[in-house]
Structure formats: C-alpha cells, structure tokens
Amino acid sequence: MAQRRGFREYLAGLLAPRERNKTLTALAGAEPVTGSKLPAVQRLQFFLSESVWDPEEVNDRRLELLRAGPATAPHGGGVLVIDDSGDRKDGTKTAHVGRQYLGRYGKTDNGVVTVTTVWADERVYYPVHAVPYTPARHFARGKNDPEFRTKLQIGADLAVRAQAAGFAFRAVVADSAYGDQDGFRAELAQAGLPFVMALRPHRGTWARAADAHTPVEAARALAWGGPEDPGDWHPVTRTFRDGHAETWRAAGASLGGWGPDGVRRLVVATADPGTLPDKATWYLVTNLARPGGPREEDSPWPAAPLAEIVRLYGIRNWIEQGYKQVKDELGWADFQVRSDIAIRRHQALVNCAFSFCWDAWFADHPAPFQPAAPQPEPGRGERGAAHPRAAAGAILAAGAARGPRLAHPVDHAAALVDRLVQSAPAPAAASPDQLSRGRLRPAPLHPELTDYR
C-alpha cells in the first residue's frame, strides 16, 4: 500500500503544473528547504531512495501497456531513435556525475548523461529505455575496467533490448554523434538491425586521391544542372506539422567503399543541391538496400527508396521534442538524490508520467484507426498476440484520492504533450514505400494538439 501511494503521489506531482523545479518538496506541494522534513516529503524520499521496488520491472510493465494499446502499439513503419542527453549536477558524490560534454548546454561541464531510446512514428513517440552513462573515473581501472561501457556500447545494447522487448521498427536512427562511429554501426549490423544515421559533412574517409573523401565532397560530385536538369537528384516532398510542404532533393552518392549498391549506402538529402545549405542538408548512411539493386533479393529487410530514407531520419526530431517535454515539464533533471538506484527510479517514473500523458490524450481523442495485424519480418519472428489493456486500477492504488491535489492530475496532460515544433516529422504519406501496402496509415493528430503554443 505504501508503494502504491508513493507511486500515485510521485506521478501526480510530476504531472501537476509547477512554477519551480520539481524537486521532492515541489512534488509534495511543500515549501522549499523549510518543508523538506514534512512527512509527505519524507515519504517520497523513502519511496525513491530506500524502498525495494525495481525500476526495471516498472518500466517493463509500462512498455507492456504501450505495446498493447491500439494507439501506441509499435509497428514496422516506425523507428527506434538512439540519443543521449546531459544535465548539470554539482559535486562529486552523485552516481554517474562527472565532467563531460552536455549537449543541452553545448559545452563540457559537471553533470549526468543518460543514453535513451525512443520509439516513434509520424503520429506518436515515447521513451523506451534509459541508462545513465558512468564516466571512467567511477571505476577502479578507468576505461580499462571490465565494467566500463561507452555511450556507444550502451546505445547498441538498448537497441537490442528494444527488439527483444517486442518493439518492431523499420530502422534504428541516430544523429552524427553515433553515425560517425564505425564500431557502433558494426555492432548494430552484427545484431541484425537496420539503421539510418547522420554523418558530419566533413567526416573524412580513405579513398583514392581523385575520389571524394568527405560526404560533402561526394554530394558536390553529383550532377546538378538546376530544377530543369536535376541530374542525379530526385525530388522528395516533406510535409510538416503546420501543413506546409517543401520539395527537397535526394540522391545516392559514392564515398570510399560506400555506394548506391554497396553494403553501406550514402544518401544526401537537401533543400538546395546547388549550395548544400548546412542547416537544410542531411548526409545519411544506411544498410537498407536500394530497390532494384543487386542486394535487394538477399537483404533481410525490405528495400528502401530515397524518399523512405529521408522519411525515417525525419522522424528523429521527436526525440529532441521529447527531451524538451521531460525536462521542461516533467522534472527529468530535478532529482535531489545521489544513489544510482534512486536516479534510475526517478527516470522510470518520469517516463511513466510521459506515457501517462499520451494515455490521457488518447482517452479523450480515441485513435480513428485499427492497426493491421503485425507481419513477421525476415530474421525477427512474429510478435505475440496483444494482451487486453489493463485497467487503471492495475497500476494505481484503488480507492478515492486522499485530497484535491491528487484528483485528476492528468487534466494538464494535453499541455504537456502538445508543444510540437515546426520541424516535426513529415506524414508518412509524403514518402510512399512498400511498407504502406496492406497497412492503414494513422490519421494525423488533432489541430488542438499540433497547433498549441
């Protein structure tokens, strides 16, 4: 009963709007500092730091509910996004803390970095797993310690865990921090996972002196004579959440041993092939075969045309949006605990709150479609039958709320999930591919969600 009450009160505090950081005193509705010794605050402290519940079991249960829900069930048209994000933390006693690069601040500082995975399609996105990265200084032998793991190793392991947990996806997607790493891509390929990852424009590679040595050089080597003479470039329509559409151009390029029909394909997508603007050009590497190419027949995954590659990487934007929501609205970095288990519990609870927002949203806005039965993919096997969605009482303690502050905290769920950016992923209809056959496309979200500011 105490754990149920702690779970309910912690999530209620995370979901309720606050004008200050969601520390333990804020979650309990107490005054900062002077209210830290109040029973309500101490109960949450004990629930987070001293109780015996397992955050992995809670997260597994959350994922089970997401897989069973008709509006959130993963399917083969979505992606699994891998990324990491850091937050400042003072001192040296907190688990996983260290001086390292924090992407949120764009500089090296003292903080905690967590590697995360998010499942997403054009309609919905939610966190799957989260594992804090532990800097080498926490180990007796530093980076040579057998227990030390890099962010790349953690990310590859999380991708395998997501697949083992029953999450179907078209590809693993990541930015250039992961895509530039040959070893990381090799780990995913060895695990039998398809990927689409970004490369830095000037990432160098070995090639003959007369050939291109960087992705941007490979893009400039493609033929382009303007819109009337596109040469090697093919039009790709990207439709954004605000309704406007842009025509980009995409092409397969050659770089070193990579080529349109190689084991690795280099795909360049840009708004202007003539100038290759930095902020509107993507250099992507993938192991998905080209339709009609010599690798298509033996490939374990369906071939992907250029438009499909662009669509898959465009969905990656959701993880950046998710970071804004869990950090700015749900208190991801506001924990005031030091132990590893307490940090992991806090992160698991924030992910529960994030998923609870979607559950509340879809309860008021039922999904207008029923997804088709999952189709087995080569080398993966078929997901088991979906289980009926559990009632709320299976997660939260039964009975009436003890006070007004615990009643209906999800009234604010829409405000927590509907801050969508202008550059949100394009609808899947913008890039027809083989996956669209036999599977109904999800309807776009209601304007009340997408137009909120």
Side-chain angles (χ1 to χ4, degrees):
M1 181 63 70
Q3 290 183 18
R4 292 183 182 181
R5 180 177 61 185
F7 182 86
R8 182 177 67 244
E9 293 182 352
Y10 206 99
L11 258 69
L14 291 173
L15 290 166
R18 300 290 185 189
E19 295 181 354
R20 57 188 173 101
N21 290 350
K22 292 186 177 181
T23 59
L24 290 175
T25 52
L27 298 185
E31 292 291 332
V33 184
T34 58
S36 61
K37 301 300 182 182
L38 294 179
V41 179
Q42 290 297 302
R43 282 199 304 267
L44 291 183
Q45 175 71 57
F46 187 92
F47 172 71
L48 203 61
S49 301
E50 306 298 334
S51 188
V52 296
W53 60 279
D54 186 350
E56 291 297 329
E57 292 184 6
V58 172
N59 194 61
D60 290 344
R61 176 60 174 152
R62 178 181 66 88
L63 298 181
E64 179 183 348
L65 293 172
L66 289 168
R67 292 195 304 271
T72 56
H75 55 79
V79 301
L80 185 76
V81 188
I82 299 178
D83 203 357
D84 59 75
S85 182
D87 299 282
R88 286 198 71 258
K89 286 293 175 182
D90 295 328
T92 60
K93 302 301 182 182
T94 302
H96 313 295
V97 76
R99 189 166 180 79
Q100 52 196 318
Y101 181 78
L102 306 180
R104 187 182 189 189
Y105 304 95
K107 64 178 182 179
T108 299
D109 206 338
N110 208 55
V112 175
V113 174
T114 302
V115 182
T116 62
T117 51
V118 165
W119 189 93
D121 62 8
E122 291 83 2
R123 185 168 182 265
V124 67
Y125 57 101
Y126 49 80
V128 181
H129 294 108
V131 173
Y133 162 73
T134 307
R137 75 169 189 85
H138 290 266
F139 297 92
R141 298 174 57 189
K143 293 184 178 181
N144 295 322
D145 196 286
E147 297 297 322
F148 173 77
R149 292 197 302 165
T150 65
K151 300 170 190 174
L152 302 174
Q153 291 172 324
I154 296 174
D157 178 63
L158 292 185
V160 174
R161 285 178 60 187
Q163 185 185 44
F167 279 82
F169 45 84
R170 183 70 162 104
V172 176
V173 178
D175 63 11
S176 59
Y178 291 81
D180 280 342
Q181 308 301 321
D182 296 335
F184 178 70
R185 297 193 310 271
E187 283 192 64
L188 294 182
Q190 186 176 5
L193 297 176
F195 57 78
V196 176
M197 298 185 183
L199 300 170
R200 288 177 297 177
H202 299 284
R203 176 191 181 274
T205 188
W206 289 101
R208 293 180 298 180
D211 295 337
H213 291 79
T214 64
V216 67
E217 291 178 0
R220 289 171 180 162
L222 296 170
W224 170 253
E228 302 300 326
D229 182 20
D232 297 322
W233 297 87
H234 302 270
V236 176
T237 301
R238 299 190 62 215
T239 305
F240 295 82
R241 279 295 181 190
D242 62 358
H244 85 279
E246 295 180 5
T247 298
W248 281 32
R249 299 278 178 168
S254 297
L255 177 64
W258 299 351
D261 294 324
V263 178
R264 300 288 183 269
R265 293 169 61 192
L266 174 63
V267 175
V268 183
T270 180
D272 183 3
T275 61
L276 299 175
D278 292 340
K279 295 185 178 181
T281 302
W282 296 341
Y283 305 92
L284 309 175
V285 58
T286 180
N287 57 353
L288 294 171
R290 178 179 65 87
R295 293 183 52 241
E296 180 179 14
E297 184 177 353
D298 297 330
S299 175
W301 315 290
L306 295 174
E308 173 71 353
I309 300 299
V310 175
R311 179 188 78 88
L312 293 174
Y313 189 74
I315 301 176
R316 200 203 75 85
N317 288 340
W318 284 131
I319 197 168
E320 303 294 348
Q321 178 65 11
Y323 282 145
K324 293 179 183 179
Q325 292 167 333
V326 298
K327 294 184 178 185
D328 297 341
E329 303 289 348
L330 296 176
W332 175 270
D334 295 340
F335 61 85
Q336 291 182 325
V337 290
R338 291 184 172 179
S339 67
D340 168 68
I341 187 64
I343 293 174
R344 292 174 186 264
R345 285 171 176 169
H346 172 76
Q347 293 177 344
L349 292 169
V350 171
N351 287 341
C352 284
F354 187 94
S355 302
F356 197 22
C357 290
W358 279 118
D359 184 74
W361 171 262
F362 285 119
D364 295 332
H365 304 78
F369 72 98
Q370 291 294 332
Q375 299 295 323
E377 298 182 18
R380 288 193 180 182
E382 185 175 358
R383 287 192 291 121
H387 300 286
R389 190 175 182 83
I395 308 174
L396 303 181
R402 297 190 304 138
R405 69 184 181 87
L406 296 180
H408 307 296
V410 294
D411 286 350
H412 308 282
L416 297 180
V417 299
D418 57 7
R419 291 186 179 179
L420 305 185
V421 292
Q422 294 288 342
S423 57
S431 54
D433 58 89
Q434 295 180 357
L435 286 178
S436 63
R437 300 173 185 174
R439 180 172 65 84
L440 296 178
R441 289 292 187 188
L445 289 175
H446 191 276
E448 178 184 349
L449 179 66
T450 59
D451 293 342
Y452 182 89
R453 291 293 179 270

